[in-house]
Amino acid sequence: MAIVGSILFAFYAVAAAAAMFFFQVPLALVIGLSILLVGIQYKIGKWAALRSVGAEDMDEDQYREIHQRVEWICEDMNLEKPRLMVAEMGVPNAFAVGRRGAGTVVVSTELIQMLDMDELEGVLAHELAHIDNRDVVAMVLGQGVASVVAIVAQYIVLFTGDNQLADFFLAIIVGQVVQMLVMVFVLAISRYREYVADADAARAIGGGDPLARALQKISDGNERVPNDKTAVDNEVSALCIFGESHGLAKLFSTHPPMEKRIERLRNA
Amino acid sequence: MAGIREILAAVLGIGLGLVFVAAPNFIVAVHTLGRGPHDRHGEFGDSSVDEKWLWLVRAIGVVLILGGAYFAYSAFLA
């Protein structure tokens, strides 16, 4: 991961140098604008995520045991207890936003209904590990680097051209291609951080089996849904050359394959 | 005589458009990862994306292919 992080830093350094060379922008301004961009993305991302699922504060009386388990895990991780929220997402899911000291974990009511308390504790420990490891901040930084590099590349193409239609089109295309290239490395970090969060969760709750069972249960539940939408989705997926069964899909995914995670957790 | 920028616009436009059509999941991940929790949608442990976003990405891909084809026509045939 140090290598991937160094590559991302190198991308940023080249973009900053290019901005200074082509547009005579002072280094302090490049860094200042980059920090502003990342800060805005972090704040808006957190706000939008909670708003988009209609998350509400998790009642301490109604969900007493969940609060208690989170307190135990936080004690073990030496982490300040994050804000706990609940949302009706229509699917069994949970996610974390924020950072150490200002984190929020959202759990869907469907997940609470589907899993037993030990399995739910495994999922909660996984999300708390994301906050403890500052994974949300790491991903925002990764996206920030990709955005800065893409913007610089785009403007270089635009301002070194003749202001014709082809220049505008090429600038957009180059921006997209550069952002994709950088994000391949960020996606690799994302998949790695999932494994780390699984391992940390297993350590915090004394074994990987509860989280493995939770993942298995969610995966099995998904396979049992024989509705029209799933059938259509499968047909559409078959059209994609990067479908689930292809190796490239793994390279371009935010999460590692479910079966690999389960296998690692069972061996933890 | 076509300029290098027109040729690049044609080749990269069509190429990127094909990636948008063939791998919309990847494009959505590129634009959403780090701009919010990437596991907010779908089920826990799953990185799947809502179909409506995939179709939107594919539609943009078609627009890019058409744009690339226009510059290819301008550069080589017009």
Side-chain angles (χ1 to χ4, degrees):
Chain A
M1 271 309 104
I3 295 169
V4 178
S6 304
I7 292 169
L8 284 178
F9 180 76
F11 273 123
Y12 179 76
V14 169
M20 290 165 66
F21 177 77
F22 282 99
F23 309 117
Q24 281 77 49
V25 183
L27 181 62
L29 187 61
V30 174
I31 294 172
L33 288 174
S34 304
I35 292 170
L36 186 69
L37 178 77
V38 169
I40 290 171
Q41 277 190 1
Y42 173 79
K43 281 286 178 194
I44 291 178
K46 186 176 177 181
W47 173 81
L50 298 178
R51 193 179 157 83
S52 70
V53 296
E56 291 174 359
D57 280 311
M58 193 182 277
D59 187 80
E60 292 234 18
D61 293 326
Q62 192 182 349
Y63 300 102
R64 189 186 301 274
E65 196 166 358
I66 295 178
H67 275 276
Q68 203 170 45
R69 300 260 182 153
V70 167
E71 281 161 20
W72 291 343
I73 300 164
C74 287
E75 207 169 294
D76 193 80
M77 289 180 173
N78 194 24
L79 176 71
E80 193 178 313
K81 186 187 172 193
R83 184 182 181 191
L84 292 181
M85 299 185 88
V86 66
E88 283 180 23
M89 298 188 211
V91 287
N93 196 8
F95 64 85
V97 289
R99 56 189 161 78
R100 277 183 77 98
T104 303
V105 173
V106 182
V107 186
S108 79
T109 49
E110 293 81 1
L111 190 77
I112 295 170
Q113 285 159 9
M114 177 184 252
L115 303 180
D116 67 37
M117 193 45 74
D118 283 347
E119 293 161 352
L120 189 59
E121 187 183 28
V123 172
L124 290 166
H126 173 92
E127 296 306 330
L128 292 169
H130 275 314
I131 293 175
D132 192 33
N133 298 334
R134 300 178 178 86
D135 290 340
V136 177
V137 178
M139 289 303 105
V140 175
L141 280 174
Q143 178 64 260
V145 169
S147 301
V148 168
V149 176
I151 289 167
V152 170
Q154 199 164 326
Y155 276 83
I156 288 172
V157 172
L158 196 60
F159 289 116
T160 54
D162 303 326
N163 223 15
Q164 291 177 342
L165 187 59
D167 294 316
F168 285 104
F169 187 73
L170 188 60
I172 292 168
I173 300 292
V174 167
Q176 290 293 316
V177 171
V178 167
Q179 183 156 13
M180 281 162 52
L181 182 68
V182 179
M183 285 305 289
V184 167
F185 294 96
V186 182
L187 286 165
I189 294 176
S190 170
R191 290 190 298 276
Y192 173 72
R193 302 311 300 173
E194 288 297 324
Y195 282 131
V196 174
D198 282 349
D200 289 351
R203 206 172 300 122
I205 60 171
D209 197 52
L211 181 55
R213 277 190 281 122
L215 288 170
Q216 190 68 61
K217 202 180 260 188
I218 293 163
S219 177
D220 290 348
N222 191 29
E223 280 169 15
R224 273 202 305 272
V225 183
N227 61 21
D228 289 347
K229 189 179 179 297
T230 307
V232 171
D233 288 357
N234 288 342
E235 280 177 25
V236 172
S237 296
L239 295 173
C240 299
I241 60 167
F242 302 119
E244 288 287 320
S245 58
H246 294 76
L248 277 174
K250 293 174 190 167
L251 186 67
F252 296 153
S253 174
T254 57
H255 283 68
M258 190 83 96
E259 61 274 18
K260 270 203 164 182
R261 288 178 67 186
I262 293 171
E263 189 188 322
R264 283 190 183 206
L265 282 163
R266 294 221 157 111
N267 294 330
Chain B
M1 177 67 185
I4 185 73
R5 283 179 174 248
E6 283 75 19
I7 295 170
L8 276 175
V11 173
L12 290 177
I14 292 171
L16 185 66
L18 288 173
V19 173
F20 269 58
V21 171
N25 269 305
F26 170 55
I27 302 300
V28 172
V30 161
H31 287 280
T32 56
L33 183 64
R35 292 198 168 117
H38 54 279
D39 40 10
R40 179 177 27 147
H41 301 293
E43 296 182 330
F44 181 75
D46 178 24
S47 51
S48 64
V49 179
D50 195 328
E51 268 301 306
K52 70 179 176 195
W53 295 112
L54 299 183
W55 283 112
L56 177 67
V57 171
R58 290 187 188 107
I60 295 170
V62 171
V63 172
L64 290 172
I65 292 169
L66 291 174
Y70 167 76
F71 288 111
Y73 174 80
S74 306
F76 301 111
L77 299 173

